[in-house]
Amino acid sequence: MAEFSLSDLEKIVHERAHSGDPDSWTAKLFARGIDKAAQKLGEEAVETVIAAVKGDKQGLVSESADLIYHWLVVLGLSGVPLSDVLKELESRTGRSGIAEKASRPKG
C-alpha cells in the first residue's frame, strides 16, 4: 500500500469541497466560509494542545489529524496550495530557526 500524504488529503479536501454532497462535512465547511473553517481550526489546535499537555498520546494523534484536516480546509478556502507552505518550510531548512525568526519583518 502506498503511503498516504498531505498532498493526498489536500486532493480529497478539494474534491469533497466542490462535490455538492449534502452529507459531506468538507462541503458544508466550504459553504460556511473561512470564518467557520478558521474557528474549527482554532478549536482543533486547542484540543491538540490539551491532549499533548495531558500526555494523551491517542488523543494527540486523533486531534492532530483533525487539526491537519481543518488546516487544509482553511488553506483551500484561502486559495493557498499546500505546495506553497512546503516551499516556505523548505526555504527555512538552510538556516537556524532563531535566524529565520529574526529575519521576519517586525510588527
Side-chain angles (χ1 to χ4, degrees):
M1 178 163 98
E3 187 172 319
F4 187 71
S5 71
L6 288 178
S7 294
D8 294 331
L9 183 56
E10 179 185 43
K11 289 174 192 166
I12 291 168
V13 166
H14 179 77
E15 290 167 5
R16 291 183 182 170
H18 305 342
S19 70
D21 182 352
D23 295 324
S24 167
W25 174 243
T26 305
K28 286 181 184 183
L29 271 177
F30 266 76
R32 291 179 78 179
I34 190 66
D35 289 348
K36 181 62 176 178
Q39 175 191 345
K40 290 300 296 177
L41 177 62
E43 290 170 6
E44 298 303 341
V46 170
E47 291 170 3
T48 301
V49 169
I50 291 168
V53 169
K54 286 184 173 181
D56 177 2
K57 290 186 181 189
Q58 184 51 49
L60 181 56
V61 169
S62 178
E63 296 301 341
S64 294
D66 291 345
L67 177 62
I68 290 169
Y69 162 78
H70 285 92
W71 172 64
L72 287 173
V73 168
V74 167
L75 286 179
L77 278 164
S78 301
V80 175
L82 175 61
S83 61
D84 286 0
V85 177
L86 296 176
K87 285 177 194 168
E88 176 65 19
L89 286 169
E90 182 180 30
S91 76
R92 295 179 183 187
T93 62
R95 55 188 163 170
S96 79
I98 294 170
E100 187 281 322
K101 189 169 183 175
S103 72
R104 293 181 195 171
K106 305 289 185 238

